[in-house]
């Protein structure tokens, strides 16, 4: 080799004194000329078509709508964000500028990170805009509570992750097929993570599409009476942050990405990202259902979140007040109308509940991947007695109409209220009275009279004396149905035909004798 | 720059084998490929500014650089 010497060139310009300013100017240029900007209409269209419409179809409760939003929004943003980012990552190969940028002073990894940051900024702006509009509309509809931020935060964490994966694929595998392939792979890859989750302690729950317990999903009772638990959201965000870090770190590993220190830093970022993602998956595997319908990850759980949410219930002005969680304010008229006929009949009588108060359900994981919805205890407790009303489904959920909702509320609770009055209070069902249901058909005159009066009270409330099946207890109570053609059935029809004040007046005067078995069918008015 | 098989290489008075000096060399290096690539979405001024920033040239000198190559009329 021939040694050659040449005079060192003078410095053509002083090194920039404010590298942050130069980075900002590069970022501005990348923002102005970024393909993701053109993908935003696609993202917004997909969001409106899928996540927005599905979310707005849910009942106007913050928890249900925010949880529905999380389930759909990431899938909506995958195609435009991953595709747009891959397109930007492939830019230098596509535009034959690889050699030109390779000989510039700024490290390649730093330059790529700026391009990725600009791409992600637009995607994030689109996401935040969509979620902002959605939350603003929800705020107009929801009667109580505030925005549920954790589902939105998981979605926000997903944007950089998707962008990083797409960008890294485009940059590291420059090909015209990379953009469509990585978009399809990311879409179906994310979509297929949903079915992987099943029951408690499933690693598949790490999927950012999973909101709360897999088998419950958006549920009116989750996050309404108790705080929304962020455990699963934190693990999901950890996974997404880890994926983003790993993908971005990969960009800095190849020779030429930068100096030794920079490449070591990239390797450390990649390793940290993979570690965080692995830990997140492991944490998701330890998740278990808590009694309030949410997932607890012991390592991430804050016991302070187990406290019930304080609220002032909204109550009806009926003979027996019906009090609901304020989130359910919109349903108070329907619930009141469903129960009012019975409340007017028995309000103030011995054994009648003093108040009807909405209660939270207890959720319990079943071994066969199912979840049981249990009541917290006897339907009527306390002194003065309070009937605990459970609304496990509300109109708009799974196609439930207001009429079906009212019928369900009436069927579940009217018989309980009448049962409490007629059979001596405290919610003692007739089936536990010696000779209860069967005795109503064949037992003594006193017991038949009890059953007839109960059926006669329920008739005007829309529950015919013969439903659901003669002699069988009604769901939720021990009150028997009556077989058509029997003397008890005829007496029930006769009692039901009385004007409401007359029924109530007779019941107030004869309730003690009725419960003692001293009233016969023939003595019923 | 291909590393030397033996001996040492000095380029513009610096060792291109080390990252720091190589970065200084790159700040002074002009490169014109046979197949010129460019970003169609960028204006001429933006493209020049972009590469000027990558070469760590002060952004204030970009308009002058554009004018130097007689493209000022095509800046936007």
């Amino acid at each position: 080799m021939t040694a050659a010497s040449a005079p060192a060139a003078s410095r053509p310009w002083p090194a920039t004194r404010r590298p942050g300013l130069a980075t900002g100017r590069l970022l501005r240029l990348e923002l102005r000329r970024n393909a993701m900007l053109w993908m935003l209409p696609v993202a917004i269209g997909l969001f409106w078509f899928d996540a927005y419409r599905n979310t707005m179809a849910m009942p106007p409760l913050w928890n249900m709508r925010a949880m529905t939003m999380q389930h759909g929004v990431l899938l909506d943003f995958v195609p435009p964000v991953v595709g747009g980012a891959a397109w930007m990552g492939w830019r230098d190969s596509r535009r034959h500028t690889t050699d030109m940028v390779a000989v510039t002073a700024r490290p390649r990894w730093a330059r790529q990170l700026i391009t990725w940051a600009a791409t992600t900024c637009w995607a994030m702006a689109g996401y935040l805009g969509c979620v902002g509009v959605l939350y603003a509309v929800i705020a107009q509809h929801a009667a109580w509570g505030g925005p549920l931020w954790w589902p939105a935060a998981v979605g926000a964490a997903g944007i950089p992750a998707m962008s990083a994966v797409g960008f890294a694929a485009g940059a590291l595998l420059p090909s015209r097929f990379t953009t469509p392939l990585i978009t399809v792979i990311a879409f179906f890859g994310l979509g297929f993570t949903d079915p992987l989750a099943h029951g408690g302690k499933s690693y598949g729950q790490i999927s950012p599409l999973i909101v709360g317990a897999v088998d419950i999903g958006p549920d009116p009772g989750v996050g309404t009476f108790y705080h929304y638990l962020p455990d699963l959201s934190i693990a999901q965000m950890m996974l997404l942050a880890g994926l983003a870090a790993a993908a971005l770190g990969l960009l800095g590993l190849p020779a030429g990405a930068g100096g030794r220190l920079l490449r070591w830093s990239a390797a450390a970022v990649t390793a940290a990202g993979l570690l965080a993602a692995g830990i997140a998956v492991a944490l998701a595997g330890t998740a278990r259902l808590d009694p309030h319908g949410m997932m607890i990850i012991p390592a991430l759980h804050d016991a302070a979140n187990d406290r019930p949410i304080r609220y002032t219930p909204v109550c009806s002005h009926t003979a027996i007040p019906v009090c609901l969680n304020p989130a359910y304010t919109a349903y108070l008229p329907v619930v009141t109308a469903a129960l009012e006929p019975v409340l007017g009949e028995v309000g103030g009588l011995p054994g009648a509940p003093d108040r009807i108060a909405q209660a939270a359900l207890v959720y319990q994981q079943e071994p066969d991947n199912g979840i049981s919805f249990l009541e917290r205890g006897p339907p009527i407790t306390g002194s003065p007695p309070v009937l605990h009303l459970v609304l496990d489904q509300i109109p708009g959920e799974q196609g439930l109409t207001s009429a079906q909702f009212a019928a369900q509320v009436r069927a579940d609770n009217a018989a309980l209220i009448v049962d409490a009055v007629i059979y001596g209070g405290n919610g003692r069902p007739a089936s536990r009275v010696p000779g209860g249901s069967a005795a109503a058909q064949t037992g003594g005159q006193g017991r038949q009279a009890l059953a007839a009066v109960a059926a006669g009270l329920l008739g005007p409330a829309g529950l015919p004396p013969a439903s659901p099946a003669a002699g069988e207890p009604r769901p939720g109570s021990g009150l028997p149905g009556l077989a058509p053609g029997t003397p008890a059935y005829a007496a029930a029809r006769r009692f039901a035909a009385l004007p409401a004040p007359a029924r109530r007046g007779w019941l107030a005067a004869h309730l003690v004798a009725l419960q003692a078995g001293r009233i016969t069918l023939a003595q019923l008015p | 720059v291909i590393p030397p098989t033996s001996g040492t290489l000095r380029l513009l008075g610096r060792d291109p084998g080390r990252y720091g000096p190589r970065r200084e060399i790159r700040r002074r290096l002009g490169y014109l490929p046979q197949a010129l690539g460019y970003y169609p979405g960028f204006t001429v001024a933006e493209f020049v500014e972009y590469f000027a920033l990558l070469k760590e040239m002060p952004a204030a000198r970009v308009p002058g650089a554009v004018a130097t190559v007689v493209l000022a009329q095509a800046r936007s």
Side-chain angles (χ1 to χ4, degrees):
Chain A
M1 175 174 283
T2 303
S5 64
S10 60
R11 297 183 67 175
W13 53 78
T16 181
R17 293 176 182 174
R18 290 187 289 180
L21 182 65
T23 301
R25 294 185 72 109
L26 275 172
L27 186 63
R28 179 182 62 84
L29 283 171
E30 293 282 13
L31 282 170
R32 287 179 64 175
R33 307 295 177 188
N34 199 286
M36 189 61 73
L37 183 60
W38 302 102
M39 297 306 293
L40 285 185
V42 178
I44 293 168
L46 288 172
F47 174 80
W48 174 82
F49 184 76
D50 179 43
Y52 184 88
R53 293 198 314 164
N54 287 336
T55 300
M56 298 311 289
M58 298 302 281
L61 272 68
W62 268 111
N63 54 346
M64 296 194 73
R65 290 196 170 177
M67 292 165 82
T68 305
M69 184 275 299
Q70 183 190 330
H71 185 78
V73 69
L74 275 179
L75 273 181
D76 298 337
F77 270 78
V78 160
V81 171
V82 173
W87 186 258
M88 290 303 296
W90 179 41
R91 183 180 62 182
D92 285 328
S93 293
R94 187 174 67 251
R95 297 301 176 195
H96 308 292
T97 53
T98 306
D99 288 346
M100 293 169 66
V101 294
V103 297
T104 57
R106 189 172 285 264
R108 186 175 70 192
W109 193 39
R111 176 177 54 78
Q112 287 177 321
L113 288 183
I114 292 171
T115 309
W116 168 80
T119 305
T120 305
C121 277
W122 279 121
M124 187 64 84
Y127 171 80
L128 293 177
C130 288
V131 174
V133 169
L134 180 66
Y135 271 35
V137 175
I138 296 173
Q140 300 289 319
H141 295 174
W144 180 75
L148 210 54
W149 294 117
W150 285 107
V154 173
I159 297 296
M162 291 188 293
S163 173
V165 168
F167 192 91
L172 297 174
L173 305 167
S175 159
R176 69 184 60 190
F177 301 110
T178 300
T179 297
L181 270 179
I182 191 63
T183 303
V184 169
I185 290 170
F187 181 79
F188 286 103
L190 182 62
F192 282 132
T193 59
D194 198 359
L196 291 178
H198 54 84
K201 298 193 174 179
S202 163
Y203 295 108
Q205 290 173 119
I206 196 63
S207 165
L209 302 184
I210 301 293
V211 193
V214 179
D215 301 303
I216 301 176
D219 185 83
V222 173
T224 300
F225 297 94
Y226 291 86
H227 292 281
Y228 185 89
L229 295 186
D231 301 15
L232 201 56
S233 300
I234 292 171
Q236 291 167 341
M237 290 169 67
M238 192 188 297
L239 170 80
L240 293 167
L243 286 179
L248 294 177
L250 278 177
L251 291 172
L253 294 183
R260 185 177 300 171
L261 181 63
L262 212 64
R263 292 175 64 198
W264 273 109
S265 302
V269 168
T270 305
L274 291 175
L275 184 65
I279 291 173
V281 174
L283 286 173
T286 66
R288 59 177 169 77
L289 184 73
D290 85 333
H292 312 135
M294 287 167 283
M295 301 306 293
I296 283 181
I297 297 177
L300 301 175
H301 187 60
D302 181 359
N305 288 328
D306 292 334
R307 291 172 302 180
I309 297 174
R310 291 179 175 276
Y311 62 87
T312 304
V314 288
C315 297
S316 68
H317 302 286
T318 44
I320 300 174
V322 178
C323 297
L324 302 183
N325 182 297
Y328 291 72
T329 301
Y331 308 108
L332 182 62
V334 182
V335 175
T336 304
L339 297 177
E340 195 162 20
V342 170
L343 303 183
E345 300 265 4
V346 302
L349 293 177
D354 189 61
R355 189 164 55 95
I356 297 173
Q358 188 182 4
L361 278 169
V362 176
Y363 301 82
Q364 182 175 296
Q365 184 77 53
E366 298 294 335
D368 58 348
N369 202 25
I371 288 179
S372 298
F373 299 78
L374 309 173
E375 294 181 15
R376 291 186 176 272
I380 299 179
T381 59
S383 179
V386 174
L387 171 67
H388 303 290
L389 175 74
V390 171
L391 302 176
D392 54 346
Q393 271 196 310
I394 53 180
E397 188 186 1
Q398 298 175 359
L400 190 73
T401 65
S402 289
Q404 291 169 328
F405 171 66
Q408 184 178 309
V409 168
R410 192 183 300 123
D412 289 349
N413 298 282
L416 278 174
I417 298 166
V418 170
D419 183 84
V421 174
I422 299 302
Y423 288 95
N426 300 322
R428 182 181 57 164
S431 55
R432 293 184 206 157
V433 175
S437 296
Q441 310 298 321
T442 59
Q445 284 280 310
R447 298 202 184 284
Q448 290 193 37
L450 273 171
V453 169
L457 288 171
L458 289 172
L463 296 170
S467 72
E472 294 297 321
R474 294 173 186 279
S477 84
L479 287 183
L482 299 174
T486 60
Y489 184 85
R493 295 289 300 267
R494 193 170 69 242
F495 188 71
L498 291 174
R503 268 196 311 270
R504 179 181 165 77
W506 184 91
L507 198 57
H510 299 89
L511 183 59
V512 175
L514 186 69
Q515 289 172 338
R518 296 197 300 268
I519 303 285
T520 63
L521 287 174
Q523 291 174 306
L524 292 182
Chain B
V1 177
I2 300 170
T5 53
S6 63
T8 59
L9 174 66
R10 307 288 290 182
L11 194 59
L12 298 176
R14 292 169 175 83
D15 177 9
R18 294 169 53 216
Y19 178 70
R22 186 165 67 241
R23 190 169 175 177
E24 284 299 316
I25 293 170
R26 285 179 173 181
R27 292 184 64 237
R28 291 160 171 78
L29 193 67
Y31 177 67
L32 183 64
Q34 287 184 328
L36 179 65
Y38 63 99
Y39 304 145
F42 282 53
T43 65
V44 171
E46 286 171 342
F47 194 67
V48 173
E49 182 182 1
Y50 185 78
F51 274 87
L53 290 167
L54 291 184
K55 292 178 78 68
E56 299 182 338
M57 179 187 229
R61 295 188 57 177
V62 171
V66 175
T68 301
V69 292
V70 202
L71 286 170
Q73 69 275 18
R75 284 174 58 187
S76 57

